Amino acid sequence: MNIRKAKISDSKYIAPILLLAMEDIIYKFIAKEDYASAKDFLLYFIERENNQYSYQNCFVAEENDEIIGAVNIYKSADIEALRNPIIEYVRKNHNPEFDPEFETKEGEFYIDSLGVNPKYQGKGIGSKLLLFLINEYVTQKNETLGLLVEEDNPLAKNLYLKLGFNVVGGKTLVGKKLDHLQISPNNES
């Protein structure tokens, strides 16, 4: 398996994989529960530059020329600039009252979403992507990584804790209660 920076040509493969991790949130963004519309919405932004879901902010896991996993990560201090194109688009096309909370704040590189192709789930791909990010950002660049996990997802939370993340607080995002976890150079296991 190879993990690499995403290219624009990967966008159509990244969208359904990341949507696995964010389906409920995208439904709230577009104000309807429609998988095809949610996938199209996500693809629209993954294919474009300078927004939080852009391919520029993604890494992919590839095996036998197939993208089997993807992760979306960006510098938290950039959240406002990266989120603005999405807010403007949603207000114009879906919900004029759209005003989402920021899920991150300055001081970390934020793992926005991580997904694994269902055919490859349970094979450690998600762990390998996370270990890659920990090595890339925490070990090599001396940065803190952060992410949110749903309180009612103990399997994911236990994986993050096992990899060295610590709970640093809580957050509510589009009505969901989430735990905020981080791993820093000083608490890396």
Side-chain angles (χ1 to χ4, degrees):
M1 183 181 76
N2 177 44
I3 298 174
R4 63 169 172 78
K5 197 84 169 119
K7 301 179 283 201
I8 192 169
S9 58
D10 300 325
S11 299
K12 66 183 178 190
Y13 306 106
I14 295 169
I17 291 172
L18 290 185
L19 191 55
L20 292 167
M22 29 187 333
E23 201 169 336
D24 292 345
I25 289 171
I26 300 297
Y27 289 160
K28 292 202 179 191
F29 282 20
I30 64 173
K32 63 181 170 182
E33 287 193 29
D34 180 67
Y35 179 84
S37 297
K39 189 172 95 175
D40 289 346
F41 172 87
L42 201 50
L43 179 59
Y44 177 85
F45 285 104
I46 292 169
E47 290 178 325
R48 282 159 180 75
E49 296 183 353
N50 304 317
N51 73 79
Q52 78 187 93
Y53 303 129
S54 173
Y55 70 90
Q56 297 169 303
N57 300 320
C58 294
F59 287 92
V60 295
E62 190 176 48
E63 194 166 76
N64 301 321
D65 294 322
E66 181 181 6
I67 293 175
I68 60 175
V71 62
N72 175 234
I73 181 172
Y74 45 84
K75 189 174 187 174
S76 59
D78 298 337
I79 183 68
E80 196 166 347
L82 293 172
R83 172 68 66 82
N84 280 337
I86 292 161
I87 291 173
E88 290 170 17
Y89 181 90
V90 171
R91 285 180 181 162
K92 181 179 174 199
N93 296 289
H94 298 285
N95 176 3
E97 306 299 312
F98 185 65
D99 190 24
E101 311 90 334
F102 289 124
E103 57 262 47
T104 184
K105 59 181 188 278
E106 203 163 333
E108 65 186 15
F109 273 81
Y110 179 66
I111 302 171
D112 188 297
S113 50
L114 183 151
V116 175
N117 179 319
K119 293 189 310 190
Y120 296 92
Q121 288 178 357
K123 299 179 193 270
I125 309 298
S127 295
K128 288 177 182 163
L129 279 164
L130 287 165
L131 289 169
F132 170 84
L133 294 176
I134 290 167
N135 181 55
E136 189 82 6
Y137 288 90
V138 181
T139 304
Q140 292 184 30
K141 297 179 181 170
N142 213 33
E143 297 285 354
T144 295
L145 283 178
L147 56 81
L148 296 176
V149 63
E150 291 182 35
E151 287 181 349
D152 60 358
N153 190 348
L155 285 174
K157 185 176 176 179
N158 287 338
L159 169 65
Y160 302 137
L161 295 173
K162 189 174 107 184
L163 292 174
F165 284 84
N166 295 300
V167 177
V168 295
K171 184 95 180 128
T172 301
L173 183 64
V174 290
K176 289 183 171 252
K177 289 203 172 293
L178 305 155
D179 286 323
H180 182 195
L181 282 71
Q182 286 185 333
I183 184 170
S184 300
N186 57 358
N187 73 349
E188 189 180 3
S189 36

